[in-house]
Amino acid sequence: EGHSSSVFDVRFSPDGKTLATSSRDNTVKLWQLDGSLVTTLEGHSSSVFDVRFSPDGKTLATSSRDNTVKLWQLDGSLVTTLEGHSSSVFDVRFSPDGKTLATASIDGTAKLWQLDGSLITTFEAHSSTIRDMRFSPDGKTLATASIDGTAKLWQLDGSLITTLEGHSAAVQDVRFSPDGKTLATTSSDGTAKLWPLSLDVLVAHTCQNMKGYLLSSPNVQLDDKELCN
């Protein structure tokens, strides 16, 4: 107990000895497991939605309704502020190697950052809020889930690999299997779906989505119209 409003998120540190909580009261708190408060992180000007420890447990990332993400040392010192989203940031994730950070926002974009706050790339294709995102286990792919009813797979340079269409309502959550060969999605339509991620399946799925465009668009060269045949 200690927050003065709703608590949105809770995370264990990688070593399991510390707990972090984020709240509508604009703060993040670090706790010992006996309930003792370690420190309070203050700096956001609005609700803090998400909180994540880095893989090595030395850094904390927080995302907020104030459109920013902040990186903190565990003594409560602010390391840097990541600014670039035009609306609330719902989700923040460290890459598996801990060297980069991904953020997802109501503005319909995800962004990849260096830990000094430098923007690496922006993932743009969703037409509405991104609710969730995950790195693949090997750290080479990013999956995003959106209120627009789709999930998308991306290369880390911002290139779209494919769009997964099949849900009839907002996609709320996305997860890779431990071996990275399957993606699971959940939706407001009351279903969860499993998607195979083999190269052949992804190519076939992409061609299914793109075939009409390739055949009908005047911007596609004649030779390229047969790419999916």
Side-chain angles (χ1 to χ4, degrees), residues 41-181:
L41 284 57
E42 297 179 286
H44 284 293
S45 60
S46 190
S47 301
V48 184
F49 290 123
D50 200 19
V51 58
R52 305 276 174 177
F53 286 93
S54 59
D56 64 8
K58 295 180 179 180
T59 307
L60 200 70
T62 57
S63 67
S64 172
R65 182 174 279 144
D66 66 13
N67 304 355
T68 72
V69 168
K70 293 181 183 291
L71 296 178
W72 312 79
Q73 295 178 344
L74 298 193
D75 63 0
S77 303
L78 180 64
V79 177
T80 191
T81 298
L82 283 57
E83 297 179 286
H85 285 291
S86 61
S87 191
S88 302
V89 185
F90 267 145
D91 200 14
V92 58
R93 305 271 174 182
F94 284 95
S95 58
D97 63 9
K99 294 181 179 179
T100 58
L101 194 75
T103 58
S105 172
I106 290 178
D107 66 15
T109 72
K111 294 179 183 289
L112 188 67
W113 311 79
Q114 294 178 344
L115 298 190
D116 64 1
S118 303
L119 179 64
I120 299 172
T121 191
T122 298
F123 305 87
E124 297 182 278
H126 284 292
S127 60
S128 190
T129 300
I130 297 177
R131 291 288 302 178
D132 191 35
M133 64 182 173
R134 304 279 167 168
F135 284 97
S136 58
D138 63 8
K140 296 181 179 180
T141 306
L142 190 72
T144 55
S146 174
I147 289 177
D148 67 13
T150 70
K152 293 179 184 287
L153 291 174
W154 310 82
Q155 294 178 348
L156 297 190
D157 64 0
S159 303
L160 180 64
I161 298 171
T162 193
T163 299
L164 305 176
E165 298 178 288
H167 286 293
S168 60
V171 182
Q172 300 288 354
D173 201 13
V174 60
R175 308 271 175 157
F176 285 93
S177 59
D179 62 8
K181 294 181 179 180

Side-chain angles (χ1 to χ4, degrees), residues 199-216:
L199 181 60
D200 289 344
V201 171
L202 289 177
V203 169
H205 188 85
T206 301
C207 277
Q208 181 180 2
N209 292 337
M210 291 291 293
K211 194 169 185 178
Y213 170 78
L214 291 173
L215 292 175
S216 63

